[in-house]
Amino acid sequence: MPISYLCGMIDYLIVGLGLAGISFCEQLEGNSKTYRVIADKSQTSSVVAGGLYNPVILKRFTLAWNAKEQLEQALPFYEKLSKKLQVQLDFKIPVLRRFASIEEQNMWFEASDKPQLNYFLSTTIKKNNNISFDAPFGYGEVRHTGRIDTKVLLVNYERYLLEKELLQQETFDYTCLEINEDAITYKGVTAKKIIFATGFGLTDNPFFNYLPLNGTKGELLTIKAPALKEENVIKSSVFIIPLGSDLYRVGATYKWKDKTNLPTEESKLELLEKLDTFLNCAYEVVDHVAGIRPTVADRRPLVGQHPDEKKLFILNGFGSRGVMIAPTASASLYQFIENKEAIHPEMNIARFTKKYYQKK
Ligand SMILES: Cc1cc2nc3c(=O)[nH]c(=O)nc-3n(C[C@H](O)[C@H](O)[C@H](O)COP(=O)(O)OP(=O)(O)OC[C@H]3O[C@@H](n4cnc5c(N)ncnc54)[C@H](O)[C@@H]3O)c2cc1C
């Protein structure tokens, strides 16, 4: 049904249905607000994501920004969604960080002694018991980690919204947006507020494209490796994430120039080259996907209200950690709009207001 058939004023119009859009819909459902969603398939980040939630940065052995708080909100959030959609979303799997040297083992021990990190990092070295891996220095185990099946989440949430006639599958046309004193109107739909949750699609948004969203392309392979028999996530120069049925996701790449969602031969070769440095068993590549992570120059989310147009809001900039960030960022935006609670200054787009007036 075209969205224009729906009449009467609704509370919110949401543009985009990735992790950001879904998490904001959930805030609205939890608070009995009326809403509609408009989304196309131009961006693929949430569909192709590895889906890992891991609070530790495994290059430097430090805690990711606000990670503990994010995880505390994220796990019940996905559990609730799982029950609502009646699908399994959360696969709790430890992440094993492969050590490349004795020095790395020592760095791990130092890190695991720190008060914030010792909840997540085990203090013993795990020996490698899988003959398919070359890991002479063993692994450090990160606890309280896992994988959210983002593709299953997206497919099922989309279906849920379609059944409730809340989703219009089309590209948002910015020239059709009318901003009035009390509301916004878009193709016959009147809403009190509009939330843009368009991931890297932000670059087409004339209201918010002053924000420094760089976008980082990522590619992932799926391999079938019947001999591998690994149940943990292995992190070496690439991640290997077990999916079940002898399938494993291998990734990801980080590229800053190419802004397309197309898989490339170059990245495939890069991933396979890295994989072959520590995986010995036979495998075949069965899938290859790509997407643009909505990354920001200062590595913090983009959450808040337009500097001039007070009915326009943004929920974006989740970078490479959307699974963990989406629930807290969406809750924060909702509380800001409805209850005037301050948005954490590091996520608030107010930090870029100067840029807006410079561009104007
Ligand atoms: C290869 C790869 C691996 C990743 N692995 C992980 C991981 O393991 N763990 C993790 O936490 N994160 C991971 N990420 C990052 C994660 O995917 C992102 O942080 C998150 O998905 C961003 O969600 P989003 O909703 O902001 O954007 P998106 O998922 O891009 O969603 C935006 C939505 O808006 C729609 N849209 C855009 N413009 C318009 C328009 N004009 N009209 C209508 N609709 C529009 C898009 O089509 C899409 O539906 C990975 C990303 C990539 C690319």
Side-chain angles (χ1 to χ4, degrees):
M1 173 172 58
I3 203 156
S4 53
Y5 290 179
L6 304 157
C7 48
M9 166 108 87
I10 55 171
D11 293 316
Y12 288 87
L13 185 61
I14 301 173
V15 185
L17 193 66
L19 289 172
I22 289 177
S23 59
F24 201 77
C25 290
E26 283 299 286
Q27 296 298 326
L28 300 180
E29 294 235 328
N31 289 285
S32 307
K33 298 286 178 189
T34 51
Y35 69 95
R36 304 279 181 271
V37 180
I38 297 176
D40 65 12
K41 308 267 184 197
S42 58
Q43 293 300 323
T44 56
S45 192
S46 298
V47 190
V48 305
L52 284 184
Y53 57 87
N54 160 34
V56 183
I57 298 172
L58 290 171
K59 228 181 195 173
R60 304 192 291 271
F61 306 145
T62 51
L63 210 58
W65 178 71
N66 240 356
K68 197 150 190 273
E69 187 205 348
Q70 286 168 9
L71 198 61
E72 277 163 10
Q73 291 202 34
L75 296 183
F77 173 87
Y78 292 110
E79 196 185 326
K80 203 169 148 201
L81 260 178
S82 191
K83 282 194 185 129
K84 172 171 169 165
L85 301 173
Q86 300 195 325
V87 285
Q88 184 174 0
L89 297 174
D90 186 0
F91 297 80
K92 296 187 190 301
I93 326 170
V95 173
L96 301 186
R97 165 62 154 85
R98 176 180 172 269
F99 295 128
S101 61
I102 301 274
E103 287 75 43
E104 278 200 346
Q105 290 179 342
N106 291 338
M107 278 164 61
W108 178 274
F109 281 131
E110 248 175 65
S112 65
D113 242 6
K114 293 184 183 155
Q116 281 190 318
L117 281 162
N118 61 14
Y119 176 71
F120 295 110
L121 303 187
S122 79
T123 49
T124 52
I125 288 182
K126 216 177 160 87
K127 273 178 119 180
N128 177 34
N129 296 321
N130 189 334
I131 54 161
S132 296
F133 288 123
D134 176 30
F137 298 101
Y139 304 98
E141 180 177 338
V142 191
R143 296 181 294 233
H144 313 293
T145 55
R147 174 176 76 87
I148 298 297
D149 194 329
T150 53
K151 189 171 181 185
V152 165
L153 168 60
L154 255 81
V155 168
N156 283 277
Y157 211 87
E158 195 176 286
R159 188 178 304 149
Y160 169 80
L161 290 182
L162 284 171
E163 274 167 15
K164 292 177 84 179
E165 298 183 347
L166 295 178
L167 172 63
Q168 185 71 20
Q169 293 176 301
E170 64 178 46
T171 299
F172 187 84
D173 179 354
Y174 292 93
T175 61
C176 296
L177 178 66
E178 288 169 42
I179 306 170
N180 308 311
E181 208 168 305
D182 304 321
I184 62 99
T185 302
Y186 180 79
K187 295 189 180 176
V189 178
T190 304
K192 290 180 190 158
K193 295 176 178 71
I194 182 164
I195 310 289
F196 293 103
T198 54
F200 190 64
L202 168 74
T203 48
D204 299 330
N205 184 326
F207 299 99
F208 286 104
N209 62 6
Y210 68 93
L211 293 166
L213 190 83
N214 307 332
T216 309
K217 182 170 179 175
E219 297 189 38
L220 280 163
L221 303 175
T222 304
I223 60 165
K224 191 166 177 82
L228 181 50
K229 306 286 175 229
E230 180 59 53
E231 290 182 350
N232 299 295
V233 172
I234 305 293
K235 164 67 176 137
S236 185
S237 43
V238 283
F239 273 103
I240 300 185
I241 307 168
L243 302 175
S245 311
D246 297 326
L247 296 172
Y248 300 84
R249 197 159 284 164
V250 177
T253 54
Y254 289 79
K255 303 278 177 201
W256 290 269
K257 280 194 185 141
D258 178 4
K259 304 295 188 196
T260 69
N261 287 321
L262 300 173
T264 63
E265 196 57 23
E266 184 198 344
S267 288
K268 180 179 173 182
L269 291 175
E270 178 187 324
L271 290 171
L272 293 179
E273 207 171 285
K274 287 181 174 167
L275 183 66
D276 291 344
T277 59
F278 66 102
L279 181 72
N280 305 318
C281 68
Y283 62 81
E284 63 170 316
V285 177
V286 295
D287 197 15
H288 181 185
V289 290
I292 314 287
R293 304 172 185 89
T295 49
V296 185
D298 67 1
R299 295 167 181 231
R300 295 290 179 266
L302 298 170
V303 181
Q305 186 173 38
H306 190 271
D308 284 334
E309 301 295 353
K310 302 300 182 191
K311 289 171 201 68
L312 272 52
F313 298 86
I314 186 162
L315 186 60
N316 207 318
F318 296 171
S320 54
R321 293 186 170 266
V323 167
M324 275 176 55
I325 294 174
T328 26
S330 58
S332 172
L333 181 60
Y334 181 82
Q335 291 304 333
F336 169 73
I337 299 172
E338 295 291 335
N339 298 320
K340 297 191 170 56
E341 277 182 25
I343 297 170
H344 193 302
E346 286 190 56
M347 322 199 259
N348 196 331
I349 56 164
R351 70 193 190 278
F352 297 118
T353 300
K354 223 176 174 183
K355 273 189 190 297
Y356 171 72
Y357 288 110
Q358 279 164 358
K359 200 170 175 189
K360 236 178 139 187

